[in-house]
Amino acid sequence: MAAPSAEQQNGQSDESDLQSPISTNDEDSETGSGDGALPDYVVDLIEKEIGGDLKSLKKVSSLLEKLTAENKLLEEQVLTVSSSVPLRVSAALSAAEESRVSLEGLLQRERVLSNTLIQHLQGAQPWADSLGRTLEQLDNTEKHMKYLQCVSRIEELSDSIQQCLMTNSIWEAVVAVGSMASLDVGLKQSGCSHLQAFLRDTLHFWHKIIKDRLAGDFEELLIQLHWPFISPPTQSLSPPANAQELHSQLELLVAQLLSLQTSDDLISEKPPSVSRVGLPPTTPLSLPVQIMLLPLSKRFRYHFTGNRQTNSLNKPEWFLTQVLMWMANSSNFMEEKIQPILDRNGANVNAKVELCRGLLTLAQEKLVSDAPRLLYDDALFCHLVDEILQFERELRTTHSYPSTLPGALHVLLDEVVLQKWLTVERKMAIEKVDAMLSAEGAWSSQYKDISDMDELKAPDCAETFMTLLLVITDRYRALPCPRAQLRFLALQRELVDDFRIRLTQVMKEESRNPLGARYCAILNAANYISTVLGDWGDNVFFLQLQQSAVALGEEELLGPLGVTESGRLASLEGSLFEGLLGLLERLRGDMLGRLLEAVMRDVQKKAQPYCRDRWLSLPSQCDQATMSLSSLACPLMQCLRDHLLQLQQMLCLPLFQMGWQDLAERLDLFLYQNVILYNHFNEGGAAQLQFDMTRNLFPLFGHYCKRPENFFKHVKEACVILCLNVGSALLLRDVLRQAEEDEEEPGTPEGQQPSPVTALNELGVYRLAPCDVLILLNLRASWPGK
């Protein structure tokens, strides 16, 4: 037995060495060995491999062999690593030493090369300096040669133009002027100011000569073509005999003038200072159109400047209408005669739009000079604004003037003019509001006799006010500047808030009679304005303004918004009218509440006898031939009916829907608290109450919905409980009392009694709580033994 015991001890030793990493406390292990106890992991291993079966002891030898092999493998790995580490460290040290020696050699070579290079550069510096001076002289010589070549080219082109003009070769002269203009464009970045001035003077000299000659020929030709068309052109019966020749001359002159466009733009270009009109910069007009505008410009200045009778500050429509007439009269000629020539010469220009641009410039200059003189006369200023808006509308629609080009409205964007416009709009709007509120029929609807159009029952003052705001919107909608539009929107919000305050003031005066016609009209007005503003919040135009307000950060309009509010507006979840809608909603809610309180006061007064009826002594249903409405309930039902009809006539449909539903809920609680809970009921009293409610009260509201009893849940369910037969009532009372006892004794087992909520739901009772039902059951007088 000694040998196996030794082997077993060796096996345990090997097993302990193998499993030793598991141990986290060497002292515990040593203590365990000293006490003669095996470590836990050894016991677990023996239990796993051998178990409690003595027949499994034959596995001990195989287990020892396995552990011995694993131990030997671990020893070999340790020996291999221990022997290889010094070799690797030695190799790394040798490589590091070789690298150090190599680095020192490279550094030595670098120092030698650096010294050699410095010596070479020092010796070559004089040569480099000499070569640099030579190259600089060559550059200067080359610049002088190019400068002289430019001068020579300018003189050559000048001589060529002179010879072409002497020989009447206009096309060649035009081409030479175009080359001179191209040379001018190329010299813009050269910095040769004197050369540029010489070239520009030469170009201006020859360009003027050629342009004057072509312009003179073009004007003579236009006269033969009956230009300008002051009145609507008439179709002649037969074309002139030289129509073909005139058309050929027209095409030739237009093409030559187009070739002068580059040089004309260079000569006529102006410094980038802001013009008086304050309009965004646009490209120059086409040269042929500039010449065609000359007679129209002369006529315009003749009639609408100076001391002429046609130059009247209070008649801006005269010159605006004249400009529109000239556009209309010249439209066909520009489209049929000039546009094809422009297209054949590759000019990307719309002849009709070009003429409109030129005529519009005349109107703009006139408006800019007249607008400051009208700032102190509100009537004339308003007339000017209206005429400009009408002119702009006609220009964009009838004449299809592109929206990308500035129109007459840009004149109104000047800060002084725009501020005056806002001031006048505010002043006139307030005056109109004062007038409409003091009018005789301010609080009556103009559609009161037309049922199809009087759904909102808006009083005349509210409808006129919203029409006023809509007109303001139509006026500023076409403004090309979102920031200016937002200023008008801020004005509209201010006017709405002012009108709300006025409604509140009138409401306070009428609050003594909340059932009066004027009080209801004020309520309808608040609802109408709120409805219209809600629709505006979903309008595309106002949604675009909302996006512009967020992008521009208009705090005056939006207020100090947080990140969440700004995000809601940017994502179109909110509305620019949210604040106003909240105030109007509160006003509407307060007014409707006061109105219903007045109705309830009247109803409660009429209901007092009914609340004190003899519910304990009424005959049972079987003792009556037919059930009829309780005599004490007649005043209550009549009062309620009259008020419902009155509210339906005076309130708009949405408000009436809200009103009768709220009234029904208030009446439900009143009857439940003051009739049902205040009294005890015998069988006849419960039946009479149910008849009064289900056959008389509920049908009063049945005109407005299909199931009016859903708005009287307390009364309806209370009648169900009071009218239960005795057996069902006893059973229900036992269930509810047992549920109360179970709640007081938490240890009581569940599931023996039905749930009180389930029992009530089976009877159709959903609103009343079990404790309320117990109270109602105690109000019954028809219990056995009583």
Side-chain angles (χ1 to χ4, degrees), residues 685-703:
Q688 183 65 49
L689 176 68
Q690 186 178 37
F691 181 83
D692 292 344
M693 297 296 103
T694 58
R695 301 294 298 275
N696 293 277
L697 177 64
F698 296 169
L700 282 179
F701 294 86
H703 298 287

Side-chain angles (χ1 to χ4, degrees), residues 18-270:
L18 180 64
Q19 299 294 331
S20 60
I22 300 177
S23 176
T24 58
N25 195 329
D26 294 341
E27 295 179 359
D28 293 343
S29 300
E30 293 175 359
T31 303
S33 299
D35 294 342
L38 291 175
D40 292 340
Y41 59 85
V42 176
V43 175
D44 294 339
L45 178 63
I46 294 174
E47 182 68 25
K48 177 181 178 184
E49 298 292 340
I50 299 176
D53 190 3
L54 295 177
K55 295 180 180 181
S56 300
L57 292 177
K58 59 183 179 180
K59 298 180 181 179
V60 172
S61 58
S62 60
L63 179 61
L64 289 174
E65 292 176 0
K66 176 182 177 183
L67 295 176
T68 303
E70 292 179 355
N71 189 33
K72 184 177 180 181
L73 179 61
L74 290 174
E75 290 177 352
E76 290 177 355
Q77 290 178 354
V78 172
L79 292 175
T80 302
V81 172
S82 301
S83 60
S84 61
V85 167
L87 295 176
R88 292 180 181 177
V89 172
S90 178
L93 292 175
S94 300
E97 181 63 23
E98 292 177 1
S99 299
R100 186 187 64 79
V101 173
S102 176
L103 179 60
E104 289 180 355
L106 290 175
L107 291 174
Q108 182 64 29
R109 291 179 60 190
E110 187 271 337
R111 286 192 291 269
V112 173
L113 290 174
S114 177
N115 293 333
T116 305
L117 181 60
I118 292 173
Q119 293 175 3
H120 178 73
L121 291 176
Q122 290 175 352
Q125 187 62 39
W127 295 92
D129 295 341
S130 177
L131 183 59
R133 288 192 293 271
T134 303
L135 292 176
E136 185 178 357
Q137 291 175 0
L138 289 175
D139 289 341
N140 290 333
T141 303
E142 184 179 6
K143 291 179 181 178
H144 294 159
M145 289 181 62
K146 289 183 177 180
Y147 193 95
L148 294 175
Q149 287 175 358
C150 286
V151 174
S152 176
R153 177 61 177 165
I154 295 171
E155 293 179 347
E156 179 183 347
L157 289 174
S158 181
D159 294 341
S160 174
I161 294 172
Q162 184 177 9
Q163 292 177 4
C164 291
L165 291 177
M166 293 175 63
T167 59
N168 205 24
S169 301
I170 301 299
W171 257 120
E172 288 78 359
V174 170
V175 171
V177 169
S179 300
M180 192 176 292
S182 301
L183 184 59
D184 185 285
V185 174
L187 287 176
K188 278 189 174 181
Q189 304 298 329
S190 65
C192 301
S193 57
H194 297 290
L195 181 60
Q196 285 182 280
F198 171 68
L199 174 56
R200 183 62 61 87
D201 292 341
T202 306
L203 177 62
H204 185 275
F205 175 78
W206 291 119
H207 173 82
K208 185 178 184 304
I209 293 175
I210 297 174
K211 180 181 177 180
D212 290 346
R213 178 178 295 188
L214 292 178
D217 296 342
F218 191 46
E219 289 174 355
E220 292 179 1
L221 178 61
L222 290 175
I223 292 174
Q224 298 182 51
L225 294 173
H226 309 291
W227 179 267
F229 300 107
I230 305 304
S231 58
T234 57
Q235 296 291 337
S236 57
L237 297 178
S238 59
N242 60 342
Q244 187 63 35
E245 179 182 354
L246 294 176
H247 181 73
S248 299
Q249 292 179 9
L250 179 65
E251 181 153 4
L252 176 63
L253 289 171
V254 170
Q256 290 175 344
L257 289 171
L258 288 174
S259 299
L260 283 177
Q261 188 70 48
T262 303
S263 58
D264 189 73
D265 293 344
L266 288 174
I267 293 170
S268 59
E269 68 181 4
K270 299 175 182 178

